[in-house]
């Protein structure tokens, strides 16, 4: 008969997987137009929650493997990590090193990937409350949409081909010349500034062109955790076998995250997740 621990790990696996897939799906669809701008928030919420829960699963299972299958207490987990994605990531990177695995797939401060990790860290801690805090004069963080636009702009310039950029620019200019001119609109970009007609025509195309590459940037941060969670589950199962436990308390957690085995070309092509 399966234990309560098995069921709880299983439910947490469903939660983390669903959150990550929903986050990637929202990030792929999000754009600067009024219809799809809210999807950026959906992506930030789901990705920060899913990534946090995945890393906590890794560290809890590793703790069990090292401590005769005793899990961390709720207080230990909260006091050490809370919603601190950066701390969780650094602990998982250290665990990866202790296991003798390649450090190439983990990122350090100063890299673009770390900037994404830092963004999710800040969103999980406080930036998710930015709009209400700003309204109530309690703002203590940056606008997450503006910060994300800074990251997205870097991907637009680094990953979208020059040919594609020139095509978007020329077609947008032609539209304004023929139909609308270049007056200001009532739409605001992710940076909070009013957009000109040219901006309103061009920016959604730029974001759409960059979206699959932005998904890949996030995906490659998360993908090494498939192998890390596989390793700690195997270690915990070895302890169970040594104690004569026939019905495992821990599922094969990596099975929840098999989508993390996709390669770059598959991720770039995929338009829907989950």
């Amino acid at each position: 008969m399966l234990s309560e621990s098995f069921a709880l790990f299983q439910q947490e696996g469903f939660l983390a997987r669903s959150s990550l897939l929903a986050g990637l799906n929202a990030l792929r669809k999000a754009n600067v137009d009024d219809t799809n701008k809210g999807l950026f928030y959906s992506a930030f919420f789901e990705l920060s929650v899913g990534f946090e829960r995945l890393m906590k699963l890794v560290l809890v299972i590793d703790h069990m493997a090292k401590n005769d299958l005793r899990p961390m207490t709720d207080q230990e987990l909260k006091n050490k990590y809370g919603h601190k994605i950066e701390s969780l990531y650094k602990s998982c990177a250290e665990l990866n090193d202790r296991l003798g695995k390649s450090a190439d797939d983990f990122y350090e401060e100063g890299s673009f990937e770390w900037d994404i990790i830092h963004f999710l860290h800040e969103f999980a801690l406080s930036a998710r409350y930015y709009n209400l805090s700003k309204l109530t004069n309690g703002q203590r963080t940056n606008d997450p949409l503006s910060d994300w636009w800074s990251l997205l702009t870097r991907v637009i310039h680094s990953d979208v081909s020059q040919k594609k950029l020139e095509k978007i620019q020329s077609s947008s200019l032609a539209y304004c010349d023929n139909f609308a001119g270049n007056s200001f609109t009532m739409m605001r970009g992710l940076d909070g500034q009013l957009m000109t007609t040219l901006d309103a025509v061009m920016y959604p195309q730029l974001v759409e062109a960059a979206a699959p590459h932005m998904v890949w940037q996030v995906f490659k941060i998360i993908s090494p955790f498939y192998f890390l969670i596989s390793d700690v589950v195997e270690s915990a199962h070895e302890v169970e076998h040594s104690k004569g436990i026939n019905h495992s308390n821990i599922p094969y957690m990596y099975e929840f995250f098999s989508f993390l085995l996709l390669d770059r070309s598959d991720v770039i092509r995929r338009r829907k997740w989950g």
Side-chain angles (χ1 to χ4, degrees), residues 21-31 36 39-40 42-43 46:
L21 288 171
L24 293 171
N25 198 53
L27 189 61
R28 181 62 182 83
K29 294 180 178 179
N31 213 309
N36 294 302
L39 290 174
F40 282 111
S42 298
E46 297 286 6

Side-chain angles (χ1 to χ4, degrees), residues 6-204:
F6 187 99
L8 291 171
F9 273 118
Q10 189 178 56
Q11 289 168 191
E12 193 67 13
F14 286 129
L15 189 161
R17 181 183 69 184
S18 296
S19 295
L20 289 172
L21 288 171
L24 293 171
N25 198 53
L27 189 61
R28 181 62 182 83
K29 294 180 178 179
N31 213 309
V32 298
D33 60 281
D34 291 344
T35 301
N36 294 302
K37 187 182 289 185
L39 290 174
F40 282 111
Y41 290 110
S42 298
F44 305 155
F45 273 108
E46 297 286 6
L47 289 171
S48 59
V49 168
F51 194 25
E52 175 188 328
R53 304 301 274 261
L54 173 56
M55 291 189 287
K56 284 181 175 177
L57 278 169
V58 168
L59 295 173
V60 166
I61 296 170
D62 177 63
H63 184 276
M64 292 177 68
K66 291 183 172 71
N67 293 275
D68 199 35
L69 302 181
R70 180 184 69 82
M72 293 182 191
T73 65
D74 185 56
Q75 205 61 35
E76 287 174 324
L77 194 60
K78 286 181 178 178
N79 287 344
K80 190 170 184 179
Y81 299 113
H83 300 301
K84 299 173 183 175
I85 287 176
E86 288 182 352
S87 298
L88 286 162
Y89 186 84
K90 288 178 179 178
S91 292
C92 287
E94 291 169 2
L95 171 59
N96 186 71
D97 289 342
R98 289 198 302 273
L99 293 174
K101 304 297 182 180
S102 171
D104 293 343
D105 292 330
F106 281 80
Y107 301 98
E108 298 181 351
E109 295 182 43
S111 65
F112 179 70
E113 292 81 5
W114 181 264
D115 290 343
I116 294 175
I117 295 166
H118 176 71
F119 174 89
L120 293 174
H121 171 86
E122 290 296 321
F123 188 83
L125 287 180
S126 58
R128 56 183 169 163
Y129 301 113
Y130 170 81
N131 296 320
L132 293 175
S133 294
K134 183 77 170 178
L135 283 168
T136 56
N137 296 317
Q139 177 196 0
R140 293 190 299 274
T141 185
N142 295 332
D143 181 354
L145 289 183
S146 181
D147 283 351
W148 190 255
W149 177 244
S150 297
L151 295 171
L152 189 55
T153 300
R154 290 159 68 181
V155 169
I156 289 171
H157 291 298
S158 64
D159 291 278
V160 181
S161 70
Q162 188 62 34
K163 182 178 180 180
K164 180 72 171 179
L165 292 176
E166 291 173 356
K167 182 179 179 181
I168 290 172
Q169 184 178 39
S170 62
S171 64
S172 299
L173 285 168
Y175 176 88
C176 290
D177 288 342
N178 291 332
F179 298 103
N182 194 24
S183 58
F184 278 91
T185 71
M186 296 302 294
M187 296 173 60
R188 292 185 181 271
L190 296 185
D191 59 1
Q193 301 301 309
L194 287 174
M195 290 194 290
T196 64
T197 305
L198 177 60
D199 295 335
V201 173
M202 183 167 61
Y203 283 7

